[in-house]
Amino acid sequence: MSGSDRLPLSLSAWALCLAALPSIGAAQTADPAQTAQAAQRVQPQVVAWRRDIHQHPELGQHEVRTAKLIADQLRKLGLQPRTGIAHTGVTAVLKGGKPGPKIAIRADMDALPVTEPAGLPFASKVTADYRGQPVGVMHACGHDAHVAILLGVATALAAQKDQLPGEVMFVFQPAEEGPPTPGESFGAKLMLEQGVFKDFKPEAVFGLHVWAGLNVGQVGYRSGPMLASADEWSLTVRGKQTHGSRPWDGVDPITVGAQILLASQSLIARQINIAATPVVLTAGQFNSGVRFNIIPDEAKLVGTLRTFDPAVREDVIARLRRTAQDYAHAAGASAELQVVNNAPATINDAALTRRVLPSLQRAAGESNVGESGLVTVAEDFSQFANTVPGFYFFVGSTAKGSDPAKAPINHSPNFVLDEGALEVGTQTMLQVALDYLHGP
């Protein structure tokens, strides 16, 4: 659906919208036709929310406007949102009229330091400061869609709360893309540290991600490991500064750093069984020196490590540290490796996956639901899923008829969300929640 550019509905129109939503019966599973109707009825508002948030993106831990929009909408549903968790996070609990299980549904809120090209009538023109650099700000990963979808799910569930068994916590999480300052506690981890599940302990947590690698209408899932862990590593090589014309008088950290970098790729290719589990070790920065004819006393490499198995992760880190230190020692230099885990691997609970898969198939059609391969991007939804059983799935966002293999991927400035994904996301998450609440 194309939706509209208008901002959120007035209170009177809002009440009419809620009253028009169908009540989905308390069967063992919710009727997919009625779930689809509920998703369709909230779709115009979901589109409006998404466009509004897209036009006003905010970086992690700065989602002030977004958090206010969310809290205001939750209050209109009769909920009592809790704000300021992990700086800007928002939660609210919907209590059904019947006894039943407790679940949580999560959406991330933050945008990326990416400049959006002109084209969309609601394109972002926002700029900000990111780690000391002026940047454009864009929802290049689809978190604007996640917020809008979860607000749509909350709206549909609130419309039938008297018939609803159990309780649902809606979790709007800041800073999924990482903290403003490296090494800080952030996002899902910080929300947990500040007690988001202390008084409300769900027995399952659910999340989704719009995904350019699938067409609209398609849904991807996987039991067990799905998304990689993300480590940010920093390697400092210290040598001895000297004149560039007399390298023998010093210790060249640039040469040592280059040797370590090449050796790290041999490490992955020759020491790790990548047939059993994929591993990616990438350097994204190599900084050293200030002048063409001075060998500096220090070089610094910064990169990322992606793994799917915690034991493999520890092994790779140990091997990288040993390799760096051995190369440095051979040259008379020193090497110090620091590793910060930004997100563990996202691992879908096997029993929960078996229970939820029929819900996805009912909502999207069995032929449209497929098993995804391992994906080396990371998601800190894993922090929640390491606390209680979790299930995470992909919702296709590339227009039907377009080749998703050629579509700009999430995080690209050219990433474009087909808004048909909003209805699919709302319907599938609503079906998952209702089926779980009404029992296996």
Side-chain angles (χ1 to χ4, degrees):
M1 295 178 66
S2 61
S4 67
D5 289 320
R6 55 192 169 85
L7 292 178
L9 300 171
S10 68
L11 284 175
S12 58
W14 184 264
L16 290 172
C17 178
L18 289 181
L21 288 171
S23 174
I24 301 176
Q28 289 289 311
T29 58
D31 182 351
Q34 291 183 328
T35 307
Q37 278 188 326
Q40 290 165 3
R41 289 182 185 277
V42 298
Q43 179 70 356
Q45 186 59 57
V46 171
V47 171
W49 281 322
R50 182 260 166 170
R51 293 185 178 189
D52 184 19
I53 296 167
H54 187 91
Q55 195 167 14
H56 302 93
E58 296 167 302
L59 295 175
Q61 297 186 1
H62 297 282
E63 306 95 336
V64 177
R65 183 185 185 277
T66 306
K68 183 179 184 304
L69 181 152
I70 292 166
D72 288 347
Q73 299 305 325
L74 294 174
R75 290 188 187 99
K76 290 178 182 179
L77 299 179
L79 304 180
Q80 297 178 335
R82 177 186 170 196
T83 60
I85 314 166
H87 301 288
T88 50
V90 182
T91 65
V93 175
L94 173 66
K95 296 184 178 181
K98 301 178 180 180
K102 293 181 177 180
I103 64 171
I105 311 175
R106 173 268 201 175
D108 38 10
M109 307 190 299
D110 56 325
L112 285 160
V114 173
T115 300
E116 182 169 7
L120 291 175
F122 50 90
S124 167
K125 299 178 182 178
V126 175
T127 59
D129 179 87
Y130 179 73
R131 297 188 180 182
Q133 297 184 9
V135 293
V137 184
M138 176 190 175
H139 272 292
C141 198
H143 297 184
D144 51 340
H146 301 168
V147 172
I149 287 169
L150 186 50
L151 285 174
V153 171
T155 301
L157 291 176
Q160 51 157 326
K161 68 177 181 178
D162 291 342
Q163 294 79 39
L164 196 69
E167 301 177 36
V168 184
M169 174 182 277
F170 306 109
V171 180
F172 295 89
Q173 180 212 306
E176 186 277 327
E177 301 290 355
T181 303
E184 287 183 344
S185 187
F186 68 95
K189 182 180 180 182
L190 187 55
M191 292 190 86
L192 289 166
E193 290 172 351
Q194 294 185 358
V196 68
F197 286 168
K198 180 181 178 181
D199 297 322
F200 182 98
K201 184 68 176 290
E203 60 182 61
V205 60
F206 301 102
L208 61 75
H209 206 299
V210 293
W211 190 242
L214 296 171
N215 288 116
V216 169
Q218 295 179 319
V219 175
Y221 78 98
R222 185 180 180 87
S223 181
M226 183 175 181
L227 305 178
S229 66
D231 287 289
E232 184 173 346
W233 58 267
S234 175
L235 178 67
T236 302
V237 180
R238 296 182 178 89
K240 181 182 177 183
Q241 185 167 314
T242 185
H243 198 288
S245 67
R246 296 178 60 85
W248 51 85
D249 285 339
V251 177
D252 186 352
I254 297 177
T255 300
V256 175
Q259 291 171 331
I260 295 171
L261 178 59
L262 292 175
S264 71
Q265 301 309 298
S266 296
L267 183 160
I268 300 302
R270 290 294 178 267
Q271 299 181 37
I272 306 300
N273 182 4
I274 56 175
T277 178
V279 175
V280 176
L281 182 62
T282 297
Q285 294 175 266
F286 193 154
N287 300 316
S288 186
V290 294
R291 184 174 165 83
F292 76 99
N293 64 346
I294 298 175
I295 291 175
D297 57 7
E298 186 175 289
K300 190 169 185 179
L301 290 85
V302 179
T304 187
L305 169 66
R306 303 298 171 107
T307 56
F308 293 90
D309 185 312
V312 172
R313 171 185 176 270
E314 292 295 333
D315 182 52
V316 172
I317 292 171
R319 290 176 184 272
L320 178 58
R321 179 173 284 112
R322 183 172 65 246
T323 298
Q325 291 174 344
D326 287 352
Y327 269 91
H329 181 263
S334 66
E336 179 184 0
L337 178 67
Q338 294 181 323
V339 181
V340 176
N341 183 250
N342 287 334
T346 298
I347 301 174
N348 281 336
D349 182 83
L352 186 59
T353 301
R354 289 192 297 270
R355 179 170 174 176
V356 169
L357 178 56
S359 300
L360 294 181
Q361 293 170 336
R362 278 191 288 272
E366 188 171 350
S367 64
N368 292 321
V369 179
E371 185 171 2
S372 297
L374 293 171
V375 179
T376 52
V377 301
E379 241 287 356
D380 76 344
F381 173 84
S382 55
Q383 301 282 2
F384 295 124
N386 283 350
T387 305
V388 300
F391 181 77
Y392 196 75
F393 62 97
F394 288 139
V395 172
S397 63
T398 294
K400 294 180 180 180
S402 298
D403 184 356
K406 297 179 181 179
I409 196 67
N410 303 59
H411 283 225
S412 165
N414 297 312
F415 169 74
V416 175
L417 175 95
D418 185 292
E419 290 180 337
L422 299 173
E423 186 172 336
V424 177
T426 305
Q427 183 177 346
T428 50
M429 186 60 82
L430 184 58
Q431 188 80 46
V432 166
L434 287 167
D435 285 354
Y436 193 97
L437 292 169
H438 286 299

Coordinates of all heavy atoms in Angstrom, one line a residue, residues 80-148:
Q80 N 0.7 2.4 29.8 CA 1.5 3.3 30.6 C 3.0 3.1 30.2 O 3.6 2.2 30.9 CB 1.3 3.1 32.1 CG -0.2 3.4 32.5 CD -0.4 3.1 33.9 OE1 0.2 2.3 34.6 NE2 -1.4 3.8 34.5
P81 N 3.5 3.8 29.3 CA 4.9 3.5 28.8 C 5.9 3.9 29.9 O 5.7 4.9 30.6 CB 5.1 4.4 27.6 CG 4.0 5.5 27.7 CD 2.9 4.9 28.5
R82 N 7.0 3.2 30.0 CA 8.1 3.5 30.8 C 9.2 4.0 29.8 O 9.5 3.4 28.8 CB 8.6 2.2 31.5 CG 9.9 2.5 32.3 CD 10.4 1.2 32.9 NE 11.7 1.3 33.5 CZ 12.6 0.3 33.8 NH1 12.2 -0.9 33.5 NH2 13.8 0.5 34.3
T83 N 9.8 5.2 30.1 CA 10.7 5.8 29.2 C 12.1 6.0 29.9 O 12.2 5.8 31.1 CB 10.2 7.2 28.8 OG1 10.0 8.0 29.9 CG2 8.8 7.1 28.1
G84 N 13.1 6.4 29.0 CA 14.4 6.6 29.6 C 15.2 5.4 29.9 O 16.3 5.6 30.5
I85 N 14.8 4.2 29.4 CA 15.6 3.0 29.7 C 16.8 3.0 28.7 O 16.5 3.2 27.5 CB 14.8 1.8 29.6 CG1 13.4 1.9 30.3 CG2 15.5 0.5 30.1 CD1 12.4 0.9 29.9
A86 N 18.0 2.8 29.2 CA 19.2 2.8 28.3 C 19.2 4.1 27.5 O 19.4 4.1 26.3 CB 19.2 1.6 27.4
H87 N 18.9 5.2 28.2 CA 18.9 6.6 27.7 C 17.6 6.9 27.0 O 16.9 7.8 27.5 CB 20.1 6.8 26.7 CG 21.4 6.6 27.3 ND1 22.0 7.5 28.2 CD2 22.3 5.6 27.1 CE1 23.2 7.0 28.5 NE2 23.4 5.9 27.9
T88 N 17.2 6.2 26.0 CA 16.0 6.6 25.2 C 15.0 5.5 25.0 O 14.0 5.7 24.2 CB 16.4 7.3 23.9 OG1 17.3 6.4 23.2 CG2 17.0 8.6 24.1
G89 N 15.2 4.3 25.5 CA 14.3 3.2 25.3 C 13.0 3.4 25.9 O 12.8 4.1 26.9
V90 N 12.0 2.7 25.3 CA 10.6 2.8 25.8 C 10.0 1.4 25.8 O 10.2 0.6 24.9 CB 9.7 3.6 24.8 CG1 8.3 3.7 25.3 CG2 10.3 5.0 24.6
T91 N 9.3 1.1 26.9 CA 8.6 -0.2 27.0 C 7.2 0.1 27.5 O 6.9 1.1 28.1 CB 9.2 -1.2 28.0 OG1 9.2 -0.6 29.3 CG2 10.7 -1.4 27.6
A92 N 6.3 -0.8 27.3 CA 4.9 -0.8 27.8 C 4.4 -2.2 27.8 O 4.7 -3.0 27.0 CB 4.0 0.1 27.0
V93 N 3.5 -2.5 28.8 CA 3.0 -3.8 29.0 C 1.5 -3.8 28.7 O 0.8 -2.9 29.3 CB 3.3 -4.4 30.4 CG1 2.5 -5.7 30.5 CG2 4.8 -4.6 30.6
L94 N 1.0 -4.6 27.8 CA -0.4 -4.7 27.6 C -0.9 -6.0 28.3 O -0.4 -7.1 28.1 CB -0.7 -4.9 26.1 CG -2.1 -5.2 25.6 CD1 -3.1 -4.1 26.0 CD2 -2.2 -5.6 24.2
K95 N -1.8 -5.8 29.2 CA -2.4 -6.9 30.0 C -3.7 -7.3 29.4 O -4.7 -6.6 29.3 CB -2.6 -6.5 31.5 CG -1.2 -6.2 32.2 CD -1.5 -5.9 33.6 CE -0.1 -5.6 34.3 NZ -0.3 -5.4 35.8
G96 N -3.8 -8.6 29.0 CA -5.0 -9.1 28.4 C -6.0 -9.4 29.5 O -5.7 -9.4 30.7
G97 N -7.3 -9.6 29.0 CA -8.4 -9.8 30.0 C -8.5 -11.2 30.5 O -9.3 -11.5 31.3
K98 N -7.6 -12.1 30.0 CA -7.6 -13.5 30.4 C -6.2 -13.9 30.9 O -5.2 -13.4 30.4 CB -8.1 -14.4 29.3 CG -9.5 -14.1 28.8 CD -9.9 -14.9 27.6 CE -11.3 -14.6 27.1 NZ -11.7 -15.5 26.0
P99 N -6.1 -14.9 31.7 CA -4.8 -15.4 32.1 C -4.1 -16.1 31.0 O -4.7 -16.7 30.1 CB -5.1 -16.4 33.3 CG -6.5 -16.8 33.0 CD -7.2 -15.6 32.4
G100 N -2.8 -16.0 31.0 CA -2.0 -16.6 29.9 C -0.5 -16.3 30.0 O -0.1 -15.7 31.0
P101 N 0.3 -16.6 29.0 CA 1.7 -16.4 29.0 C 2.1 -14.9 28.9 O 1.3 -14.1 28.5 CB 2.2 -17.2 27.9 CG 1.1 -17.2 26.9 CD -0.2 -17.2 27.7
K102 N 3.4 -14.7 29.2 CA 4.0 -13.4 29.1 C 5.0 -13.5 27.9 O 5.9 -14.4 27.9 CB 4.7 -12.9 30.3 CG 3.8 -12.6 31.5 CD 4.6 -12.2 32.7 CE 3.7 -11.8 33.9 NZ 4.5 -11.3 35.0
I103 N 4.9 -12.5 27.0 CA 5.9 -12.5 25.9 C 6.4 -11.0 25.7 O 5.7 -10.1 26.2 CB 5.3 -13.0 24.6 CG1 4.1 -12.1 24.1 CG2 4.8 -14.5 24.7 CD1 3.7 -12.4 22.7
A104 N 7.5 -10.9 25.0 CA 8.0 -9.6 24.7 C 8.2 -9.5 23.2 O 8.6 -10.5 22.5 CB 9.3 -9.3 25.4
I105 N 8.0 -8.3 22.6 CA 8.2 -8.1 21.1 C 9.1 -6.9 21.1 O 8.8 -5.8 21.7 CB 7.0 -7.9 20.3 CG1 5.9 -9.0 20.6 CG2 7.3 -7.8 18.8 CD1 4.6 -8.8 19.9
R106 N 10.2 -6.9 20.3 CA 11.2 -5.9 20.3 C 11.3 -5.2 18.9 O 11.3 -5.9 17.9 CB 12.5 -6.4 20.8 CG 13.7 -5.5 20.7 CD 14.4 -5.7 19.3 NE 15.8 -5.3 19.3 CZ 16.6 -5.4 18.3 NH1 16.2 -6.0 17.2 NH2 17.8 -5.0 18.4
A107 N 11.5 -3.9 18.9 CA 11.9 -3.2 17.7 C 13.0 -2.2 18.1 O 13.0 -1.6 19.2 CB 10.7 -2.4 17.2
D108 N 14.0 -2.0 17.2 CA 15.1 -1.1 17.4 C 14.7 0.2 16.7 O 14.0 0.3 15.7 CB 16.4 -1.6 16.9 CG 16.3 -2.5 15.6 OD1 15.2 -2.5 15.0 OD2 17.3 -3.1 15.2
M109 N 15.3 1.3 17.2 CA 14.8 2.7 16.9 C 15.9 3.5 16.1 O 15.5 4.5 15.5 CB 14.4 3.5 18.1 CG 13.4 2.8 19.0 SD 12.8 3.9 20.3 CE 14.3 4.3 21.2
D110 N 17.2 3.2 16.2 CA 18.2 4.1 15.8 C 18.5 4.1 14.3 O 18.2 3.1 13.6 CB 19.5 3.9 16.6 CG 20.0 2.5 16.5 OD1 19.2 1.6 16.4 OD2 21.2 2.3 16.4
A111 N 19.0 5.2 13.8 CA 19.4 5.4 12.4 C 20.9 5.3 12.3 O 21.6 5.1 13.3 CB 18.9 6.7 11.9
L112 N 21.4 5.4 11.1 CA 22.8 5.3 10.8 C 23.5 6.6 10.4 O 22.8 7.5 9.8 CB 23.0 4.2 9.7 CG 22.8 2.8 10.1 CD1 22.6 1.9 8.9 CD2 24.1 2.3 10.9
P113 N 24.8 6.7 10.6 CA 25.5 7.9 10.1 C 25.7 7.8 8.6 O 26.9 7.6 8.1 CB 26.8 7.9 10.9 CG 27.0 6.5 11.2 CD 25.7 5.9 11.4
V114 N 24.7 7.9 7.8 CA 24.7 7.7 6.3 C 23.9 8.9 5.7 O 22.8 9.2 6.2 CB 24.0 6.3 5.9 CG1 23.9 6.3 4.4 CG2 24.8 5.2 6.5
T115 N 24.4 9.4 4.7 CA 23.7 10.5 4.0 C 22.8 10.0 3.0 O 23.2 9.2 2.1 CB 24.7 11.5 3.3 OG1 25.6 12.0 4.3 CG2 24.0 12.6 2.6
E116 N 21.5 10.3 3.1 CA 20.5 9.8 2.2 C 20.4 10.6 0.9 O 20.4 11.9 0.9 CB 19.1 9.8 2.8 CG 18.0 9.2 1.9 CD 16.7 9.0 2.7 OE1 16.6 9.4 3.9 OE2 15.8 8.4 2.1
P117 N 20.5 10.0 -0.3 CA 20.3 10.7 -1.5 C 18.9 11.3 -1.7 O 17.9 10.7 -1.1 CB 20.6 9.7 -2.6 CG 20.3 8.4 -2.0 CD 20.6 8.5 -0.5
A118 N 18.8 12.4 -2.4 CA 17.4 12.9 -2.6 C 16.6 12.0 -3.5 O 17.1 11.2 -4.2 CB 17.6 14.3 -3.3
G119 N 15.3 12.1 -3.4 CA 14.4 11.3 -4.2 C 13.1 11.1 -3.6 O 12.0 11.4 -4.1
L120 N 13.1 10.5 -2.4 CA 11.8 10.3 -1.7 C 11.3 11.6 -1.1 O 12.0 12.5 -0.7 CB 12.0 9.4 -0.5 CG 12.4 7.9 -0.8 CD1 12.7 7.1 0.5 CD2 11.3 7.2 -1.5
P121 N 9.9 11.8 -1.2 CA 9.4 13.0 -0.7 C 9.6 13.2 0.9 O 9.5 14.3 1.4 CB 7.9 12.9 -1.0 CG 7.6 11.5 -1.2 CD 8.9 10.9 -1.8
F122 N 9.9 12.0 1.5 CA 10.1 12.1 3.0 C 11.6 11.7 3.3 O 11.8 11.2 4.3 CB 9.1 11.2 3.7 CG 9.0 9.8 3.1 CD1 9.9 8.8 3.6 CD2 8.1 9.5 2.1 CE1 9.8 7.5 3.1 CE2 8.0 8.2 1.6 CZ 8.8 7.2 2.1
A123 N 12.5 12.0 2.4 CA 13.9 11.7 2.6 C 14.4 12.5 3.7 O 14.0 13.6 4.0 CB 14.7 11.9 1.3
S124 N 15.4 11.9 4.4 CA 16.1 12.6 5.5 C 17.0 13.7 5.0 O 17.8 13.5 4.1 CB 16.8 11.6 6.4 OG 17.7 12.3 7.3
K125 N 17.0 14.9 5.7 CA 17.9 15.9 5.5 C 18.7 16.2 6.8 O 19.4 17.2 6.9 CB 17.2 17.2 5.0 CG 16.5 17.0 3.6 CD 15.8 18.3 3.2 CE 15.0 18.1 1.9 NZ 14.3 19.3 1.5
V126 N 18.6 15.3 7.7 CA 19.2 15.5 9.0 C 20.7 15.3 9.0 O 21.2 14.4 8.3 CB 18.6 14.5 10.0 CG1 19.2 14.6 11.4 CG2 17.1 14.7 10.2
T127 N 21.4 16.1 9.7 CA 22.9 15.9 9.9 C 23.1 15.9 11.4 O 22.3 16.4 12.2 CB 23.7 17.1 9.3 OG1 23.3 18.3 9.9 CG2 23.5 17.1 7.8
A128 N 24.2 15.3 11.8 CA 24.6 15.2 13.2 C 26.1 15.0 13.4 O 26.8 15.0 12.4 CB 23.8 14.0 13.9
D129 N 26.5 14.9 14.6 CA 27.9 14.6 14.9 C 28.0 13.1 15.3 O 27.3 12.7 16.2 CB 28.4 15.5 16.0 CG 29.9 15.2 16.3 OD1 30.8 15.8 15.7 OD2 30.2 14.4 17.2
Y130 N 28.9 12.4 14.7 CA 29.1 11.0 15.1 C 30.6 10.7 15.3 O 31.4 10.8 14.4 CB 28.6 10.1 14.0 CG 28.8 8.6 14.3 CD1 28.1 7.9 15.2 CD2 29.8 7.8 13.6 CE1 28.3 6.6 15.5 CE2 30.0 6.5 13.9 CZ 29.2 5.9 14.9 OH 29.4 4.6 15.1
R131 N 31.0 10.5 16.6 CA 32.3 10.2 17.0 C 33.3 11.3 16.5 O 34.4 11.0 16.0 CB 32.8 8.8 16.6 CG 32.0 7.7 17.2 CD 32.5 6.3 16.9 NE 31.7 5.3 17.6 CZ 31.9 4.0 17.6 NH1 33.0 3.5 16.9 NH2 31.1 3.2 18.2
G132 N 32.8 12.6 16.6 CA 33.7 13.7 16.3 C 33.6 14.1 14.8 O 34.3 15.1 14.4
Q133 N 32.8 13.5 14.0 CA 32.7 13.8 12.6 C 31.3 14.2 12.2 O 30.3 13.6 12.6 CB 33.2 12.6 11.7 CG 34.6 12.2 11.9 CD 35.0 11.1 10.9 OE1 34.3 10.8 10.0 NE2 36.2 10.5 11.1
P134 N 31.1 15.3 11.4 CA 29.8 15.6 10.9 C 29.3 14.6 9.9 O 30.1 14.2 9.0 CB 30.0 17.0 10.2 CG 31.5 17.0 9.8 CD 32.2 16.2 10.9
V135 N 28.1 14.1 10.0 CA 27.6 13.1 9.1 C 26.1 13.4 8.8 O 25.4 14.1 9.5 CB 27.7 11.7 9.8 CG1 29.1 11.3 10.0 CG2 26.9 11.7 11.2
G136 N 25.7 12.8 7.7 CA 24.3 12.7 7.4 C 23.7 11.6 8.3 O 24.4 10.7 8.7
V137 N 22.4 11.6 8.5 CA 21.7 10.6 9.2 C 20.5 10.0 8.4 O 19.7 10.8 7.9 CB 21.2 11.2 10.6 CG1 20.6 10.1 11.4 CG2 22.3 11.9 11.3
M138 N 20.5 8.7 8.4 CA 19.5 8.0 7.5 C 19.0 6.7 8.2 O 19.9 6.0 8.7 CB 20.1 7.8 6.1 CG 19.1 7.0 5.2 SD 20.0 6.5 3.7 CE 18.7 5.5 2.9
H139 N 17.8 6.4 8.0 CA 17.3 5.0 8.4 C 17.6 4.1 7.2 O 16.8 3.7 6.4 CB 15.8 5.0 8.7 CG 15.5 5.3 10.1 ND1 15.8 4.5 11.1 CD2 14.9 6.4 10.7 CE1 15.5 5.0 12.3 NE2 14.9 6.2 12.1
A140 N 18.9 3.8 7.1 CA 19.4 2.9 6.0 C 19.3 1.4 6.3 O 19.7 0.6 5.5 CB 20.8 3.3 5.6
C141 N 18.8 1.1 7.5 CA 18.7 -0.3 7.9 C 17.3 -0.7 8.1 O 17.1 -1.9 8.4 CB 19.6 -0.6 9.1 SG 20.0 -2.3 9.4
G142 N 16.4 0.2 8.1 CA 15.0 -0.2 8.2 C 14.4 -0.2 9.6 O 13.3 -0.7 9.9
H143 N 15.1 0.5 10.6 CA 14.6 0.5 11.9 C 13.3 1.4 12.0 O 12.5 1.2 12.9 CB 15.6 1.0 12.9 CG 16.9 0.2 13.0 ND1 17.9 0.4 13.9 CD2 17.2 -1.0 12.4 CE1 18.8 -0.5 13.7 NE2 18.4 -1.4 12.8
D144 N 13.2 2.3 11.1 CA 11.9 3.1 11.1 C 10.7 2.2 10.8 O 9.7 2.3 11.4 CB 12.0 4.2 10.0 CG 12.5 3.7 8.6 OD1 13.1 2.6 8.5 OD2 12.2 4.3 7.6
A145 N 11.0 1.2 9.9 CA 9.9 0.2 9.7 C 9.6 -0.7 10.9 O 8.5 -1.0 11.2 CB 10.3 -0.7 8.5
H146 N 10.7 -1.0 11.6 CA 10.5 -1.9 12.8 C 9.6 -1.2 13.8 O 8.7 -1.8 14.4 CB 11.9 -2.2 13.4 CG 12.8 -3.0 12.4 ND1 14.1 -3.2 12.7 CD2 12.5 -3.5 11.2 CE1 14.6 -3.8 11.7 NE2 13.7 -4.0 10.8
V147 N 9.9 0.1 14.1 CA 9.1 0.8 15.0 C 7.7 0.9 14.6 O 6.7 0.7 15.4 CB 9.7 2.3 15.2 CG1 8.8 3.1 16.1 CG2 11.1 2.2 15.9
A148 N 7.4 1.2 13.3 CA 6.1 1.4 12.8 C 5.3 0.1 12.9 O 4.1 0.0 13.3 CB 6.1 1.9 11.4

